[in-house]
Amino acid sequence: MAAVSEADAEATGIVGEFLSLKAETDADFLVMQVGDFYEFFGEDAETVADLLDLKVSQKSSHGSNYPMAGVPVDKLTPHLKQLVERGYRVAIADQYETDDGHAREITRVVTPGTLLETTDADAQYLAAVVRVSPERYGLGVADVTTGRFLVTEVTGEDADAATDRVFTELYRFDPAEVLPGPEVRNDDAFLDRIRERTDATLTLHQADAFAPGRATHETKAQFGQETLASVGLDDTAGASRRNENPQVQAAGALLSYVEETGTGVKASMTRLQSYEGDDHVSLDATTQRNLELTETMQGDRDGSLFDTIDHTVTSPGKRLLKEWLQRPRQDLPTLRRRGDGVAAFADSALARETVRETLDGAYDLERLASKAAHGSADARDLLRVRETLALLPEVADAVASDPTLSESPLAEIVTRPDREAAAALRDELDALADDPPGTVTEGGLFRRGYDDELDEIIDRHEEAEEWLATLDDREKRKTGIGHLQVDRNKTDGYYIQVGNSETGKVPDRYDRLKSLKNSERYTTDELDERERQIFRLEERRGELEYELFGDLREGVAERADLLQSVGRALAELDALASLAVHAVENDWVRPELTESGDLRIDAGRHPVVERTTEFVPNDLRMDGARASSSSDRTASSSAPATSPSDRESAAGRDGERRFLVVTGPNMSGKSTYMRQAALITLLAQIGSFVPADAAEVGVVDGIYTRVGALDELAQGRSTFMVEMQELSNILHSATEDSLVILDEVGRGTATYDGISIAWAATEYLANQVGSKTLFATHYHELTSLADRLPGVQNVHIAADESDGDVTFLRTVEDGPTNRSYGIHVADLAGVPEPVVERSRDVLRRLREDEAIDVRGGQSGDGGGQRGGESDPQQVVFDLGSGQFRGGDDAGGDGAGGSDDAGSVDVESVDTQSVDPETEAVAEAVKDTDLSDTSPIELMNRVQEWQERLRE
Ligand code: ADP
């Protein structure tokens, strides 16, 4: 609230009224109607003028000047939208007539979550979050523009898990505004996370509204006792007696906020849906971003998965398809029903196109229902309702008359809405004229035959108009005046106009109204009488039609649920037809959905990349945990380690593929291959066809990704910290039924650190979690894990090398990549031969499971001579434990990995008989902290050292 200065306090008149209204609201701005304008005053005027590029003028009030900025009444909406979309809350004070003049009061507070004037096809959610214990939350979301109202309960094993899930849900709805409940609003970390992770405006709605008693009352009053019971919210024996059902608390807060902001759309909120978070596939914020579901990593909508597959023809269809994409399901019957619908549409091109063409004429019934409830729908809006309702039987016919469609679940979709009720409402709306005006106060809204009184008014009006229309002829005849015409304008009303040359013929019964340059205007008693009659009739007609229209609109608002169910059915058809169109145009196949968890893809493609690239298809085969006994995996809870028993069990499950280590050169297609697996799974779990020749998709309970440190780096976030947070989240959340995609874990830190973390994470995922995992790495060392861990296998992206050129074949083959292209690249870049040779040597040893010696100060010997037994400074990478160790315990029993694995002891390098330059280099080698040096940098330094030594 803007501070009211002393001068303000004394302000009277308009400004004073503004300031006192402003003091009533905690909105960021107040805009007040003054006649035909909406005005901002004082500070608000200056800020808003700046934001909206308005002109500021000065309003003087009792000796003081106040800045003032305004917009005409009919231009408020676009300005309002701009303010609200920037996250501001704007209170509107309307002017209304009273017996002695007029008064003003705040009628609405428009906020990002309650903006009705949106034209965006996307849903616009207002969310409320309630915490009843650290592990238990209630979440409610409502879309005032469509009347959608959803609640869910979110729980977790511990506080962190519960919070993570709340954010997963929130991110999925991408709310425009969040109302944090009393418990979370003092939790700064929680609020910060909302601010950082969503674009939502945070609004502190009154705490009382969240109180269990009041919230239960509100919710019951809105949806009825039965609805509460039917969605399992009215547990009279349990929760509600203790008065703590977080879903109801969230719902109650939303309702009271919608009421308080004066949106007036509660009537369109007809259905409370409680959804089970468990049925949905967990897709956290990072994963949605990494998989570029609705926008690319760069934040563009173009090039996202949604943009690629969306062929819907209506806004509600678009909204629904996006919702499906953001909320994939595990529920096989639902998915199979959708799949059947897509398949039917895919098979019947002709009927599909008929349905789509028909749907093309459909308007957004959910939004129209909300407008009707709010009272802002005009006759054209109701006409749109009528036209859209009329499409239902057309679409139903198209479905019924096609043998394939009529046998599919599509038939159920079109028969789901109450068609009789829809037809009845349509008939009622037949009252509307075919081309009504955009205003509802001036008549012309209705057809004849709707209302007797109206018809009579119209008859008499027409009769009077007819009389007027023929008046000039009659008068010409009576008076013999040739240049005579009858007309009407605002100031003079009806008049008879006579050219100057003939004013002499004007009879006595004409009363002169005014003289113009070339003519005179007259009226007569009879004309006056007719005029009064016409005005009376017009006024009465306007009033009566406005009244009738109000009733009609209310009738529509009362049937919001009908409009929503018709709208929903049309949207479903649109979304399913859209999936069919994409499938047919791109040769996608219907996946077989199973409970086994197995993932088998023949000739799979990346759904987005295949649109722009000559794509090389790839196979993928992964086994789900559900297919095999998993007791040994789930029972173990100790720290991860590659124990002998693990190795035995790995041997026991030979050939099982649950964890694929994906290797291959940079840019060879590793990320694409892994994302393709995730996207095919996700598409299958929205009911879509998938880009492959054949696919079996075992449903997953969640998809988790950790991809691309580079993007984070560009955003200036601490790369390694973010990487580890994301990894931690995955290790906590993924289950054996999840699909995990890891792209280069551990890259953000020094090599030894990185390998160690990647190694340990792999062990943990393979042993403890048991998820299906695809893990791309440039740490070749990790490929040896395949021999040691259950279900871990290597695959690589093939490349062909000839004449020193590497060609990426993009095909995926079993086994680790057979050469390091990193060394190849180093060679091409001119890294001295000894270094390249030595790299190959180290690599060979790593692969052959041999300890690597760290070599002393010899140089320039072509790398042929390795440190002998007496060499005291060996550092060994032990593949058994995945640890680097100093020479002393090299080749030991795998226990006791050293903490300072990254620091190589070069203290005893023999420097006695060397020249100062060599000594300096040796010093530099000694001072190099390996744990803090990237491989590239190391390579550069080695090169520099070698050059110095050669000199
Ligand atoms: P990596 O993760 O190995 O660095 P990417 O997956 O980022 O490689 O792929 C590198 C480039 O190759 C991308 O431009 C991608 O579009 C293209 N690409 C990847 N896989 C294929 C494929 N199977 N067919 C055709 N192009 C591909």
Side-chain angles (χ1 to χ4, degrees), residues 604 609 613-618 664-673 676 743 776 797 809-811:
V609 178
T613 312
E614 192 65 45
F615 201 84
V616 179
N618 273 304
N666 266 344
M667 289 303 285
S668 61
K670 298 184 296 296
S671 301
T672 308
Y673 182 64
Q676 171 185 322
D743 201 349
I797 318 267
L809 301 177
R810 316 259 185 234
T811 46

Side-chain angles (χ1 to χ4, degrees), residues 129-442:
V129 187
V130 176
R131 176 158 72 203
V132 289
S133 74
E135 301 84 22
R136 186 160 174 240
Y137 287 82
L139 179 72
V141 291
D143 180 350
V144 297
T145 70
T146 62
R148 288 262 276 159
F149 204 106
L150 302 165
V151 288
T152 194
E153 183 167 326
V154 180
T155 54
E157 310 77 71
D158 55 33
D160 283 349
T163 320
D164 281 348
R165 277 183 208 157
V166 166
F167 277 93
T168 294
E169 288 303 314
L170 271 185
Y171 194 82
R172 221 199 288 269
F173 287 103
D174 196 12
E177 186 172 5
V178 176
L179 313 177
E183 303 296 327
V184 287
R185 73 174 54 161
N186 298 322
D187 180 343
D188 288 338
F190 193 93
L191 298 187
D192 280 347
R193 215 164 144 182
I194 295 182
R195 287 191 197 101
E196 281 164 21
R197 285 292 185 108
T198 72
D199 295 327
T201 299
L202 273 174
T203 301
L204 301 184
H205 182 42
Q206 41 174 301
D208 298 0
F210 293 86
R214 188 169 150 199
T216 309
H217 178 77
E218 282 268 1
T219 315
K220 263 187 203 160
Q222 176 73 17
F223 300 109
Q225 176 89 28
E226 280 145 49
T227 317
L228 284 196
S230 74
V231 292
L233 292 187
D234 193 19
D235 178 7
T236 24
S240 73
R241 188 163 300 163
R242 285 198 316 278
N243 266 346
E244 77 148 40
N245 184 323
Q247 303 191 64
V248 172
Q249 285 176 253
L254 288 176
L255 287 169
S256 90
Y257 188 66
V258 168
E259 171 97 52
E260 188 189 280
T261 50
T263 318
V265 292
K266 274 169 71 179
S268 75
M269 297 178 163
T270 57
R271 213 152 49 103
L272 176 71
Q273 284 175 277
S274 171
Y275 72 93
E276 199 61 66
D278 290 350
D279 167 45
H280 290 93
V281 176
S282 183
L283 273 186
D284 60 17
T286 315
T287 300
Q288 296 208 28
R289 214 174 41 237
N290 285 340
L291 294 179
E292 308 193 306
L293 294 191
T294 56
E295 33 182 72
T296 63
M297 297 278 231
Q298 290 74 41
D300 300 326
R301 288 181 176 212
D302 289 0
S304 66
L305 178 64
F306 178 69
D307 174 59
T308 305
I309 65 166
D310 174 31
H311 305 277
T312 54
V313 293
T314 67
S315 308
K318 198 180 285 295
R319 231 171 18 239
L320 184 63
L321 183 62
K322 190 179 262 187
E323 187 187 307
W324 284 353
L325 205 58
Q326 289 172 320
R327 308 180 63 75
R329 309 277 299 260
Q330 294 185 55
D331 167 33
L332 281 178
T334 303
L335 295 177
R336 292 202 176 116
R337 246 194 332 272
R338 284 190 203 161
D340 286 342
V342 177
F345 268 141
D347 286 346
S348 310
L350 218 63
R352 178 181 76 234
E353 287 317 308
T354 310
V355 170
R356 294 182 73 228
E357 275 162 28
T358 313
L359 288 177
D360 204 14
Y363 293 94
D364 197 333
L365 282 182
E366 287 178 309
R367 291 244 165 112
L368 288 166
S370 180
K371 269 180 114 176
H374 173 239
S376 58
D378 60 26
R380 291 176 184 171
D381 288 325
L382 297 197
L383 203 62
R384 292 182 183 118
V385 171
R386 179 172 96 194
E387 287 168 14
T388 309
L389 287 175
L391 300 179
L392 181 64
E394 271 187 57
V395 172
D397 281 351
V399 171
S401 56
D402 181 272
T404 311
L405 299 195
S406 61
E407 290 294 310
S408 74
L410 300 175
E412 186 269 326
I413 295 175
V414 288
T415 48
R416 200 186 310 142
D418 185 340
R419 278 167 72 182
E420 270 174 37
L425 180 56
R426 205 182 65 224
D427 287 347
E428 254 173 67
L429 293 174
D430 270 341
L432 291 169
D434 283 333
D435 188 17
T439 56
V440 293
T441 46
E442 284 161 27

Side-chain angles (χ1 to χ4, degrees), residues 676-711:
Q676 171 185 322
L679 292 175
I680 286 177
T681 302
L682 188 141
L683 283 166
Q685 290 193 244
I686 68 166
S688 171
F689 282 24
V690 298
D693 283 358
E696 176 194 334
V697 176
V699 289
V700 299
D701 65 0
I703 300 177
Y704 299 90
T705 63
R706 153 70 226 157
V707 176
L710 284 180
D711 305 278

